[in-house]
Amino acid sequence: MAKPIKIKNRNGTTSYRIFIQKKIDGKVIIENKTFSNASIAQQWHDKRVKELEYESIHGKASDDLIGEIIARYQDQYANSYGRSKNYDIARLLKHPIAEIPCAKLSAKHIIAHCLERNRSAKPQTVLNDVIWLRTILRTMSATEGFDYHPGVFERAMVVLKQERLVAKSASRDRLPRWVELLKLTRHFKKLRTKTPMADIMWFAFFSSRRLSEITRLEWVDNNIERQTGMVRDAKHPRDKKGNHRRFKYEKTAWKIVQRQSRNSEYIFPYNSKTVGTLFNRACKITGIKDLHFHDLRHAAATRLLSKGYSIDETCLFTLHTDWKTLQRYVNRKPEDID
């Protein structure tokens, strides 16, 4: 093991120089550094040797900024994820963590980012930041051949969970009451808009379709005899593109579809953002609190099970893959059972 070499300086002080000689990928790397303290010199030597040994196995960590790596990820993989994830990733570029070199990323930086984000975002949203950042570095390190230290995320998560700076999404048990739906229906009928909000709301309530799915349903995919339709590129954690899945229309939902105009290839040819905005605005105007459009999907799943459909049959309406995923959308209580 190398030891610091004692050096007498002209001014009478003492310095300690230590050398490193390491062979990596057939190339000999020689480094040296001078310190005023022998123990500090030895610490630097031992730490640097470990870094070189790690790099010889895994490759050298990238000196690029986190933001630069995020931008390259967006360029290469933008088509593999949806609007929500794209928004979350783009938001990372606006924060100080984007200016940190990848090679210097530490648990301290991740925790600092989460502390900053908690001032304006919920812990559930902050958790997404950590998930996407880890995903991006893992993907790009494999794509480009650089290395990063994944252990920083593990160390950071221990603190983030302990201090409740991040959290998993809490399941909602908010279901729309019938009187609230009638109130919204009356409000929508008074609106001067080409978007048939009442029909879209009731269709969501009976069909269990997500808002993003409703505005993408196509006439050509409907089977009139069997009253089925298709969700193209259905939501999936990994394989959304090309994940076309057929579903069964609930009877009332099918009737709502049949009265729509056929002037477009889409059954509901409207902007999902506009629909969401109109719904939220209507809830505010009518005094309905804490009701989300997505709660209509919860209500539909609960209603389908209450009508006597089995779990397997209900999944053919909702397109959940199993009971575990469907369970989050079902809000049944013991008193609901006869």
Side-chain angles (χ1 to χ4, degrees):
M1 181 182 291
K3 297 292 183 181
I5 299 173
K6 191 175 183 179
I7 301 173
K8 285 288 185 180
N9 300 316
R10 291 181 179 180
N11 60 4
T13 60
T14 302
S15 296
Y16 297 86
R17 181 174 298 167
I18 193 163
F19 289 82
I20 294 175
Q21 183 171 321
K22 195 77 177 175
K23 190 173 183 179
I24 297 179
D25 296 332
K27 181 180 179 182
V28 177
I29 296 176
I30 300 176
E31 297 181 4
N32 71 86
K33 203 165 185 180
T34 302
F35 299 86
S36 60
N37 184 285
S39 62
I40 295 177
Q42 192 66 58
Q43 289 173 14
W44 173 82
H45 172 274
D46 296 344
K47 180 181 178 182
R48 184 59 183 144
V49 167
K50 288 181 179 179
E51 288 178 350
L52 291 172
E53 290 175 345
Y54 187 88
E55 290 173 6
S56 69
I57 299 173
H58 303 282
K60 187 176 181 181
S62 174
D63 291 325
D64 289 348
L65 301 180
I66 294 293
E68 295 171 341
I69 296 173
I70 291 174
R72 294 201 296 272
Y73 177 86
Q74 288 179 305
D75 289 340
Q76 293 184 47
Y77 298 103
N79 294 328
S80 64
Y81 50 85
R83 179 172 58 87
S84 178
K85 181 180 176 182
N86 182 49
Y87 177 81
D88 288 344
I89 291 174
R91 186 176 53 210
L92 284 170
L93 296 171
K94 301 177 182 179
H95 294 276
I97 199 167
E99 300 300 320
I100 297 171
C102 178
K104 296 183 179 180
L105 181 67
S106 67
K108 179 181 72 173
H109 295 127
I110 298 171
I111 294 169
H113 172 77
C114 293
L115 282 168
E116 178 206 358
R117 290 282 287 123
N118 266 265
R119 296 172 186 167
S120 58
K122 294 181 179 180
Q124 292 87 344
T125 303
V126 179
L127 177 60
N128 282 338
D129 281 13
V130 180
I131 291 172
W132 297 143
L133 181 58
R134 181 168 50 190
T135 299
I136 290 167
L137 293 183
R138 182 173 58 231
T139 299
M140 297 309 292
S141 67
T143 301
E144 300 182 350
F146 68 82
D147 185 50
Y148 75 104
H149 302 291
V152 300
F153 287 96
E154 296 175 8
R155 292 196 294 275
M157 285 302 295
V158 171
V159 176
L160 296 175
K161 290 179 179 178
Q162 174 184 303
E163 303 303 329
R164 299 181 181 180
L165 298 176
V166 298
K168 293 183 179 180
S169 298
S171 58
R172 285 175 59 84
D173 58 4
R174 173 68 159 97
L175 294 180
R177 297 192 297 274
W178 196 259
V179 66
E180 292 175 328
L181 294 175
L182 293 178
K183 187 184 293 186
L184 287 170
T185 300
R186 289 193 294 269
H187 171 80
F188 289 139
K189 288 183 176 180
K190 295 177 182 177
L191 285 182
R192 294 182 178 180
T193 175
K194 295 180 180 179
T195 306
M197 284 298 301
D199 274 359
I200 293 175
M201 179 189 73
W202 285 108
F203 178 77
F205 177 81
F206 286 106
S207 72
S208 79
R209 297 271 64 79
R210 296 180 176 88
L211 176 54
S212 60
E213 295 173 349
I214 292 174
T215 55
R216 291 188 288 113
L217 295 176
E218 299 184 26
W219 287 108
V220 69
D221 292 327
N222 281 353
N223 184 312
I224 297 176
E225 292 182 2
R226 299 187 178 183
Q227 296 186 5
T228 62
M230 179 186 289
V231 174
R232 295 174 180 264
D233 298 327
K235 185 177 180 180
H236 190 278
R238 292 175 301 278
D239 303 316
K240 176 180 177 180
K241 200 70 176 178
N243 183 36
H244 308 325
R245 300 187 62 197
R246 296 204 66 80
F247 67 91
K248 178 70 175 179
Y249 279 105
E250 191 273 346
K251 292 182 180 179
T252 305
W254 179 255
K255 292 179 181 178
I256 294 173
V257 165
Q258 295 311 300
R259 64 174 179 245
Q260 302 307 306
S261 170
R262 295 178 182 253
N263 296 329
S264 169
E265 61 183 307
Y266 298 104
I267 300 171
F268 298 98
Y270 310 102
N271 188 301
S272 60
K273 288 185 179 180
T274 301
V275 173
T277 299
L278 289 173
F279 183 84
N280 293 337
R281 188 180 299 163
C283 288
K284 186 175 181 180
I285 293 173
T286 56
I288 299 173
K289 297 181 180 180
D290 190 37
L291 182 64
H292 304 167
F293 191 93
H294 200 70
D295 294 332
L296 300 173
R297 176 169 166 81
H298 289 238
T302 302
R303 182 175 175 275
L304 288 165
L305 284 171
S306 298
K307 287 184 67 176
Y309 289 109
S310 67
I311 293 172
D312 290 344
E313 290 171 334
T314 301
C315 288
L316 295 175
F317 289 97
T318 66
L319 293 185
H320 289 100
T321 54
D322 52 39
W323 169 242
K324 186 177 180 180
T325 53
L326 174 62
Q327 191 174 22
R328 293 186 70 245
Y329 287 85
V330 176
N331 301 95
R332 299 186 74 182
K333 301 176 183 178
E335 52 267 29
D336 295 331
I337 301 175
D338 296 330

